[in-house]
């Protein structure tokens, strides 16, 4: 066991970033990533403590001290494999996981200074592995069992990777033309380059998973039809339906859902228009309504498309914002303006029905609501008018209804999510679900955690089925 | 078929097996291409093909028109949307305008097979743009023709007022340009004849994710891709829909010019 160094530096090695003036005008990745030297220096800050509370903080229980120890020994390939034992998307998670609320929140070094930058170290080894070529993954002996996975997002890809390693035959059905789910259509290039998502999806295909894009389950095949061809089905269809406020003027031209705006920019590469021929309306004066990561992403995309002024309009105060602190800071550095305690009342259009202004009302915080956050209350008479030529609604997403509508006997919640137990088991035998479709909009890593648990349950279900059938045949 | 109107047959076995009248696909020609929705004009499960009719109005549709037999496209997603409600209603008027006569014919066939008396109306701006006259003639019990300029058949839609006054009509199904569907709905509203319009607004994903296709129907905001394509014509806010369809007119021109000049090359 390695002895902790007598003196641990209290400050983490800072992440090198593109400077704000420059990056506000391009879609290249903001965080450049640690160099090898920076990685080794940061790895030294890990205490290698026996308790390893970081592991408990990780939804997929990555053995953090073990991979950091391998980094110290400069065994980057082994470090990558160590992470991949638990996490099949390390280059993604190293970038978009809220480590400050998970592994790093529990880090022992964090008690005396800044916690070890686990995410940045994870990112380094994952990028190192990608640049040096992935090791050929080993295959298990085939079980002859077939599993259909619906949705190639974080949950679905995790289930697929876990189950193929156990020898099952996996087909992933993805409705869009590219895999990745929210990683592809939602998170912008400057936060998560698409070539990384593509490479990680390719790795899963290399494992032997069949990926079928342009296949919308519910329409092309129903869940019932899949059950005739497969021994089990996993539904990881995500929270893809945009939410609107249902206020006057929301259908004016130039009012977008964050989903539409981000799909155009990320999946369809509208920032490269007309080279990539999906158009988008940029704006000079932009308002983004909402306070989560999606709002930050949309605001920063609008800025990069050439907006002169981008405001984030949020009905509570800074403290209640659900976005990651890092993303709020990035947005602020780039010049995004925050209008806290403000809520839209209606949109006003011009003669061509294009949005030209947004009427808002100021709010104050009242008593805490069901979420524990203080409820925003409108201040009467505080109405104000904001000039906007582009407005983006980033107030949440809900589950897509297609599977619910086309699957008889599948229990769903009143908000449209699929009812599943902690192992993903739904009301239909052999059908499992996990990720945002079960929990509502959450993080990439929590969806992967759900995928991991569901894969385990599906494996047990398939093997039990095997024994049962075997006994029956013998009897 | 007519100037700048093309009918394609795509080999798409799985899609063909599931397609019902009233549904649509989203397609993408190549890696830089946009996703466009097109209503399915026919499906042959045995042959494993679907038919799509397309009017060359912009970059993607013109690029589609350049495809030759045997060519393929990068992505085809479908069938999407709810199938049209096909039942025995009695007498059904199927009125189509422009390129949309092709998918309307798919519905007209189904209405006839369901035992309805089908009056087909084929319309276009001018005589040369009329399509599917023979097919509609064969499928429908009666056929009327109308053009905006009166070069063939009735001039405009006024005749529809007389037609529905004289006959007992149980249902009207309209598919075509927004102004035409609006005009039809305005005419039938007076007689209270149930009128279904098929709306295909701007879409990106076509499965409920983006909300670009939102339409106001009876004061409620619905998504054409998952709630449609068929809506109550007497309840639809056509003016809003028309403004939203024109949202990218400038960019569409730009994309067309860029592509015509050779694109990235």
């Amino acid at each position: 066991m390695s002895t902790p160094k007598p003196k641990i530096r209290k400050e983490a090695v800072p992440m090198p970033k593109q400077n704000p003036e420059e990056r506000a005008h391009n879609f290249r990745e903001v965080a450049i990533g640690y160099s090898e030297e920076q990685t080794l220096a940061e790895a030294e800050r890990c205490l290698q403590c026996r308790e390893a509370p970081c592991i408990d903080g990780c939804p997929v229980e990555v053995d953090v001290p073990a991979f950091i120890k391998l980094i110290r020994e400069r065994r980057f390939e082994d470090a990558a494999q160590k992470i991949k034992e638990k996490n099949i998307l390390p280059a993604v998670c190293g970038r978009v996981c809220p480590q400050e609320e998970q592994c790093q929140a529990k880090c022992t070094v964090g008690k005396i200074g800044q916690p070890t930058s686990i995410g940045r170290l994870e990112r380094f080894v994952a990028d190192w592995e990608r640049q040096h070529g992935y090791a050929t993954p080993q295959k298990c002996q085939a079980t002859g069992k077939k599993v259909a996975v619906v949705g190639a997002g974080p949950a679905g890809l995790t289930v697929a990777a876990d189950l193929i390693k156990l020898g099952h035959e996996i087909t992933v059905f993805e409705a869009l033309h590219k895999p990745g789910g929210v990683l592809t259509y939602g998170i912008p290039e400057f936060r998560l380059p698409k070539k990384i998502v593509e490479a990680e999806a390719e790795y899963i295909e290399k494992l032997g998973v069949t990926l079928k894009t342009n296949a919308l389950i519910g329409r092309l095949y129903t869940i019932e039809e899949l059950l005739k061809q497969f021994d089990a089905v996993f539904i990881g269809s995500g929270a893809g339906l945009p939410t609107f406020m249902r206020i006057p003027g929301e259908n004016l031209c130039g009012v977008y859902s964050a989903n539409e705006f981000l799909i155009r920019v990320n999946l369809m590469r509208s920032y490269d228009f007309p080279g990539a021929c999906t158009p988008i309306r940029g704006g000079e004066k932009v308002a983004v309504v909402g306070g989560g990561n999606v709002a930050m992403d949309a605001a920063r995309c609008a800025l990069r498309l050439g907006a002169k002024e981008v405001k984030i309009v949020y009905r509570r105060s800074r403290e209640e914002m659900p976005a990651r602190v890092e993303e709020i800071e990035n947005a602020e550095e780039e010049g995004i303006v925050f209008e806290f305690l403000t809520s839209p009342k209606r949109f006003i259009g011009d003669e061509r029905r294009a949005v030209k202004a947004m009427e808002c009302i100021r709010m104050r915080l009242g008593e805490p609501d069901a979420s524990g956050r203080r409820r925003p209350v409108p201040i009467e008479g505080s109405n104000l008018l904001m000039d906007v030529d582009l407005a983006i609604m980033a107030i949440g997403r809900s589950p897509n209804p297609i599977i619910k509508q086309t699957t008889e006997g599948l229990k769903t919640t009143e908000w449209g999510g699929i009812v599943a137990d902690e192992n993903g088991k739904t009301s239909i035998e052999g059908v499992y679900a996990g990720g945002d479709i079960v929990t509502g909009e959450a993080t990439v890593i929590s969806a992967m955690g759900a995928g991991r648990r569901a894969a385990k349950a599906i494996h047990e279900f398939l093997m039990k089925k095997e024994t049962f059938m075997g006994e029956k045949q013998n009897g | 078929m007519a100037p700048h109107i093309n009918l394609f047959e795509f080999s798409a076995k799985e899609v063909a097996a599931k397609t019902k009248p009233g549904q649509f696909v989203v397609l993408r020609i190549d890696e830089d291409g946009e996703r466009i929705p097109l209503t399915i004009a026919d499906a042959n499960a045995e042959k494993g093909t679907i038919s799509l009719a397309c009017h060359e109005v912009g970059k993607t549709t013109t690029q589609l028109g350049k495809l030759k037999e045997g060519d393929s496209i990068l992505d085809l997603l479908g069938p999407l949307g709810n199938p049209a409600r096909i039942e025995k209603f009695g007498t059904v008027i199927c009125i189509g305008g422009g390129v949309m006569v092709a998918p309307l014919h798919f519905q007209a066939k189904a209405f006839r097979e369901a035992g309805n008396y089908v009056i087909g109306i084929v319309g276009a701006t001018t005589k040369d743009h009329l399509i599917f006259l023979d097919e509609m003639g064969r499928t429908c019990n009666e056929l009327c023709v109308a053009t905006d300029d009166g070069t063939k058949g009735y001039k405009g839609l006024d005749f529809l007022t007389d037609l529905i006054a004289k006959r007992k009509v149980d249902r009207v199904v309209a598919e075509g340009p927004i102004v035409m569907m609006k005009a039809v709905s305005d005419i039938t509203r007076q007689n209270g004849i149930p009128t279904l319009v098929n709306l295909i607004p701007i879409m990106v994903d076509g499965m409920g994710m983006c909300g670009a296709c939102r339409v106001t129907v009876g004061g409620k905001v619905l998504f054409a891709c998952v709630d449609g394509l068929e809506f109550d014509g007497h309840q639809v806010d056509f003016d809003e829909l028309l403004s939203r369809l024109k949202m990218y007119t400038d960019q569409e021109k730009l994309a067309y010019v860029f592509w015509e000049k050779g694109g990235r090359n």
Side-chain angles (χ1 to χ4, degrees), chain A residues 12-13 15 29 31 33-34 39 42-43 45 54 58 62 64 67-68 71 83 87 89-105 107 115-127 324 326 445:
Chain A
V13 176
M15 173 59 107
E29 196 170 11
Y34 278 170
T39 302
E42 185 62 20
R45 297 183 62 244
C54 47
C58 174
V62 166
V64 176
F67 95 75
I68 294 183
I71 290 179
I83 299 172
N87 181 343
L89 305 171
V92 170
C93 290
R95 287 171 166 85
V96 302
C97 260
Q99 291 100 6
E100 65 280 1
E101 294 166 16
Q102 298 176 351
C103 52
Q104 291 174 197
C107 174
T116 308
S117 306
I118 300 165
R120 296 169 184 176
L121 297 176
E122 178 185 27
R123 169 182 164 154
F124 175 83
V125 290
D127 288 354
R324 288 182 73 184
E326 191 182 310
I445 192 72

Side-chain angles (χ1 to χ4, degrees), chain A residues 310-322:
Chain A
V310 182
K311 283 181 178 165
I312 285 185
V313 177
Y314 181 53
R315 61 193 183 129
R316 304 185 206 238
S317 69
R318 176 182 287 266
E319 287 66 44
E320 290 83 18
M321 277 190 127

Side-chain angles (χ1 to χ4, degrees), chain A residues 138-158:
Chain A
Q138 286 211 333
K139 263 195 199 169
C140 223
Q141 212 191 337
T143 60
K145 300 283 175 192
K146 289 161 81 178
V147 181
V149 173
V150 182
L157 290 179
T158 302

